[in-house]
Amino acid sequence: MKGRDTKPDDLKASIEAVEPRPGYTDEKTGKKTPGELELVVRMKNDADRALHYISDVRATRYDPNTKILTVALSDEGREVIPGAIMKLPVFRRIDPGSTAEIHITVPDRIIKLSRNAPPGEIAFETHPLSEAREVVVEIAWAEVPYYKDTRGKDDNRLPAARWEQHKARSTKPMRGGGRTPKK
Amino acid sequence: MALFILEDAAGIGNDQIDTFQAFIDCVIIANDDGVGLNDPAGGRQQVTYARTENGPPQLRLDALVNTTFTPDYGSGPQQVDTVVIPGLAGFTLDDGTDFRHNGTALAPNSSGLAGASLNTTEFCLVIYDTQQNICVARQGSGDIDLPISNPVVLYHEFSHAFRIVNNGLLALTGECDPSSPEENAAITDENDLRTQIANRQGETPALRDPGIHCGAVGCDGGCCIIATVASKSLNSKQIQFLRSVRDHFVRSTEVGYAFFQKFFYDYYSFSPQVCTIMVGNPEIPGHLLEGYINPLLDFWKVMIERSGNNFSDAELGAAFVRHHPDRAAAQSRLEALQSTVAYWMQEETEGNSAPAELLTLLRERAWPSEYMQWALVAPVRIYHDVLTRYLAGADEAAIGRAFNNELDTWAPEIPISDVWAALSAEEVVKELEFCENVLLQSPASKKRFHQRLLDRFADITSVDVVLNGLTANAGVVQ
Ligand SMILES: [Zn+2]
């Protein structure tokens, strides 16, 4: 029996909690543990088939103008660059009508290369995420499990960006972050 | 002038960058004291290098440090220096990629090479996490279980940097298996350093598979107390056994993997320091071997035999006795256990010869962890009780009964990770089947474990559906 067609909002996400975990330095070893934000995200599958989604953070973006922090569980928009390793996404499956919960962490500050450094110098911008007014989580999903795309290599996207069909989104005002902005 | 380590920069401050670690990593690559750092200028310290060795890592470092590179990316030759940015927590590129547990080499902005648009400077930037804990593919097996140390990560990125400053970057793809030509070349270079470091230490090199660039966070690397004690006293077959315990019980399943992630996190919060303390206290490994490690090994040996076989009391007792054929040896094992309990597990007391720093470390880091308690402390306590009973003359059935009772109380208290909440119903069934098969054999211990899962994940559909389904079915059967 063929079920109904899957709709782009069949996988729903909701951010249940955003907990800061302060960093600290171990006095004995000098090892620094950087601060983090832990997010608890609830998933719900309204489709009548199992759906497949990415369950780990692939990109963290912060816009200092809108003060919106976007945590992407998606490879869309990420560039292919050299690296020590390539970390494949962690994929999970959610049954029809089911709920699930994932815990994810991001650093509690974002440091980016500044585009305003004088020539020949390196400068950074630091954005403590405690300043964020709103957090957005985007979760890539598809109706089928991740599979390797064996077509030609002229597509510059990461493989999981080619696989994803939709994104589940949830937004939440940050604690002490002021009003929820209008869309 | 060509290679620098960032020391300070506008927008961050000099306590944010792990300059010293990058310097140490360069010294390890060079393997001599010919590496130096000039005084900071413009927030960076220039690396100097008077080479004495002729291996590939030394020649590569020499080239990066002592060559002025002037690649022509299309608009005429330009000088490109390389700047290392080590251990900057929270560093994130414009596309959202961060470098926790990774590294990269970014080509200058105007070069047009891969990653160039993410680099706002005309330097070649080498960025790496100095607190990384990653695993890469082992040559031979292809398993992602080979640790990668900081100098090896840095040297891998130097390989990319070298081709960037020579305008010789090879093709990159989004695939990690098979790896792209560029990554294949960097891993091949990385293996030169792995080979050299292993040779310096008189070890057989463990190499990375150049054909696979995939990796994962969390590796069983670093100093492990058990392995250190074992390598001094056990043969490699016994060390292999320890690995098989891990693989047998947990590594292959989602829940088991999550268990080990947490277990290693807690374990490596004290294990490396214990190893340091052992260097100054050579009597410790001797205490530990017969008084802790061997009992732990024997406990898990019996557990492996038991898993998959629903042992009766008599069968379990017989298995324990079979592992202890020599009563005199068992008696001295018991004495060693008791002296270890006094030495290792207890509070600081008058006349206790264990170093205070060791006891503090264990009290603060090891014993408060539910993972350490469940996997490393309770099993040895259970073993101690069973061994005492055996030596007091109990028969196999009585030994097995006591053993089974203790296991039924201990097993269902295994720490439960968040990963259960993210599993589908089918996966919950599979994971549960595995747990029940290897650990939770009696109805009482299954029931207790189900209850703990239900208490923790009351509103998670998959857990609820499976466990309440099981309860309903059990009701019909009975
Ligand atoms: Zn690489």
Side-chain angles (χ1 to χ4, degrees):
Chain A
M1 188 181 72
K2 189 182 181 302
R4 68 169 176 83
D5 286 341
T6 307
K7 291 184 303 213
D9 65 345
D10 270 342
L11 184 64
K12 296 195 167 54
S14 81
I15 305 167
E16 296 293 306
V18 182
E19 296 288 337
R21 306 202 178 283
Y24 59 91
T25 302
D26 187 315
E27 282 171 16
K28 284 200 192 87
T29 60
K31 184 180 161 75
K32 282 185 199 163
T33 303
E36 290 182 331
L37 294 181
E38 180 178 347
L39 283 73
V40 179
V41 182
R42 277 259 154 170
M43 315 289 298
K44 172 123 181 23
N45 179 2
D46 286 337
D48 61 0
R49 60 182 291 153
L51 301 178
H52 305 264
Y53 64 96
I54 293 179
S55 67
D56 63 333
V57 178
R58 305 296 291 170
T60 314
R61 303 181 180 103
Y62 180 66
D63 181 339
N65 298 316
T66 59
K67 296 193 187 302
I68 293 175
L69 166 67
T70 304
V71 179
L73 284 65
S74 160
D75 272 346
E76 191 182 53
R78 291 186 62 218
E79 291 194 25
V80 177
I81 58 173
I85 58 170
M86 180 178 290
K87 284 180 272 189
L88 287 175
V90 178
F91 296 95
R92 295 209 176 282
R93 184 185 81 194
I94 180 164
D95 291 332
S98 265
T99 52
E101 195 175 274
I102 52 174
H103 294 240
I104 52 181
T105 59
V106 294
D108 67 359
R109 60 173 190 177
I110 280 188
I111 297 181
K112 286 166 52 168
L113 284 167
S114 168
R115 296 201 175 262
N116 303 317
E121 287 185 30
I122 299 175
F124 296 87
E125 321 169 343
T126 299
H127 303 289
L129 295 181
S130 54
E131 285 175 0
R133 193 172 59 174
E134 188 177 71
V135 58
V136 180
V137 172
E138 296 181 339
I139 301 168
W141 62 272
E143 294 166 281
V144 293
Y146 172 74
Y147 54 93
K148 208 153 131 177
D149 189 337
T150 50
R151 294 172 300 179
K153 302 277 189 226
D154 51 345
D155 188 335
N156 270 336
R157 291 176 299 168
L158 283 162
R162 281 180 259 169
W163 158 85
E164 74 170 73
Q165 292 173 292
H166 305 290
K167 284 189 187 69
R169 275 192 186 78
S170 172
T171 63
K172 188 181 173 67
M174 292 277 274
R175 203 187 334 221
R179 296 158 299 151
T180 309
K182 287 189 210 117
K183 266 275 145 72
Chain B
M1 48 186 276
L3 184 68
F4 298 84
I5 303 175
L6 199 66
E7 185 262 349
D8 191 3
I12 41 171
N14 66 359
D15 59 339
Q16 300 297 315
I17 299 172
D18 207 349
T19 311
F20 185 66
Q21 181 65 48
F23 173 66
I24 294 293
D25 293 338
C26 287
V27 171
I28 293 171
I29 293 167
N31 195 32
D32 63 23
D33 56 7
V35 178
L37 270 189
N38 286 346
D39 287 341
R44 339 183 246 285
Q45 290 185 270
Q46 188 179 353
V47 180
T48 61
Y49 181 32
R51 180 171 56 82
T52 56
E53 293 199 17
N54 294 315
Q58 290 77 32
L59 293 168
R60 172 61 52 83
L61 184 66
D62 192 352
L64 281 170
V65 169
N66 294 314
T67 314
T68 300
F69 293 98
T70 53
D72 180 354
Y73 296 120
S75 49
Q78 67 180 101
Q79 183 177 329
V80 177
D81 293 335
T82 297
V83 179
V84 179
I85 305 177
L88 181 54
F91 181 74
T92 306
L93 295 177
D94 270 354
D95 71 348
T97 303
D98 75 48
F99 289 93
R100 282 189 296 181
H101 304 294
N102 212 339
T104 190
L106 289 183
N109 183 269
S110 68
S111 69
L113 299 176
S117 67
L118 299 169
N119 184 350
T120 62
T121 76
E122 289 302 317
F123 296 107
C124 171
L125 298 180
V126 166
I127 299 153
Y128 75 115
D129 181 358
T130 52
Q131 314 239 340
Q132 52 80 25
N133 174 13
I134 50 187
C135 258
V136 296
R138 188 182 293 271
Q139 192 161 57
S141 68
D143 292 341
I144 311 263
D145 66 353
L146 179 70
I148 181 165
S149 63
N150 282 336
V152 174
V153 172
L154 180 60
Y155 190 67
H156 177 114
E157 299 313 333
F158 278 168
S159 170
H160 292 305
F162 184 73
R163 281 184 297 281
I164 288 171
V165 296
N166 284 295
N167 196 18
L169 200 64
L170 305 171
L172 281 162
T173 61
E175 299 290 346
C176 61
D177 184 9
S179 58
S180 61
E182 175 59 30
E183 293 301 348
N184 192 306
I187 295 169
T188 302
D189 283 348
E190 166 186 335
N191 280 338
D192 288 339
L193 184 61
R194 287 180 181 274
T195 302
Q196 222 191 52
I197 290 177
N199 289 342
R200 289 174 206 166
Q201 293 165 347
E203 290 166 2
T204 311
L207 298 182
R208 181 173 178 185
D209 187 336
I212 305 174
H213 184 235
C214 316
V217 174
C219 211
D220 170 12
C223 163
C224 161
I225 306 168
I226 295 174
T228 301
V229 172
S231 68
K232 290 194 170 62
S233 344
L234 301 179
N235 60 41
S236 58
K237 224 172 134 186
Q238 282 162 299
I239 296 170
Q240 193 52 47
F241 175 77
L242 282 168
R243 286 210 189 95
S244 75
V245 168
R246 182 192 67 191
D247 295 342
H248 179 86
F249 279 98
V250 273
R251 258 296 171 78
S252 54
T253 68
E254 286 282 346
V255 167
Y257 186 80
F259 176 92
F260 259 86
Q261 295 281 98
K262 295 261 194 196
F263 175 86
F264 284 133
Y265 182 82
D266 286 358
Y267 182 67
Y268 286 108
S269 77
F270 67 93
S271 178
Q273 291 133 278
V274 172
C275 289
T276 308
I277 295 170
M278 281 200 276
V279 172
N281 295 270
E283 79 287 359
I284 296 177
H287 267 280
L288 277 183
L289 182 64
E290 193 55 11
Y292 181 74
I293 310 256
N294 282 338
L296 190 67
L297 281 178
D298 278 338
F299 174 88
W300 286 108
K301 272 182 196 160
V302 176
M303 287 298 291
I304 286 182
E305 274 189 47
R306 175 182 181 262
S307 80
N309 298 308
N310 220 329
F311 272 166
S312 67
D313 291 346
E315 286 166 330
L316 183 61
F320 184 86
V321 171
R322 204 163 46 243
H323 281 288
H324 301 81
D326 181 343
R327 278 191 92 85
Q331 183 62 46
S332 65
R333 164 78 58 87
L334 183 64
E335 283 155 21
L337 259 169
Q338 280 156 350
S339 102
T340 299
V341 169
Y343 181 89
W344 174 255
M345 305 264 181
Q346 288 182 342
E347 299 289 308
E348 272 170 86
T349 50
E350 230 24 77
N352 190 334
S353 60
E357 54 178 333
L358 176 64
L359 296 172
T360 310
L361 193 60
L362 294 174
R363 196 169 52 238
E364 289 176 1
R365 298 288 178 81
W367 307 154
S369 156
E370 58 172 339
Y371 288 83
M372 297 305 109
Q373 285 293 336
W374 188 84
L376 299 182
V377 177
V380 174
R381 182 180 47 70
I382 294 171
Y383 178 90
H384 174 268
D385 292 350
V386 177
L387 186 65
T388 306
R389 222 168 263 269
Y390 165 56
L391 288 168
D395 63 16
E396 288 180 356
I399 292 169
R401 188 158 51 247
F403 203 169
N404 262 329
N405 282 342
E406 293 219 46
L407 294 178
D408 284 346
T409 316
W410 161 77
E413 301 304 324
I414 182 170
I416 293 176
S417 81
D418 294 329
V419 79
W420 286 94
L423 298 179
S424 68
E426 187 195 336
E427 288 165 330
V428 169
V429 169
K430 245 179 16 206
E431 295 286 342
L432 211 52
E433 242 173 46
F434 181 79
C435 292
E436 295 186 348
N437 189 27
V438 303
L439 273 180
L440 311 161
Q441 296 184 346
S442 75
S445 96
K446 284 176 194 160
K447 193 173 162 212
R448 166 70 185 147
F449 187 67
H450 293 178
Q451 193 54 52
R452 288 183 64 222
L453 282 177
L454 278 173
D455 291 348
R456 173 86 171 264
F457 304 113
D459 53 347
I460 300 293
T461 324
S462 51
V463 174
D464 183 58
V465 164
V466 172
L467 289 177
N468 284 323
L470 284 177
T471 315
N473 289 342
V476 172
V477 172
Q478 280 159 5

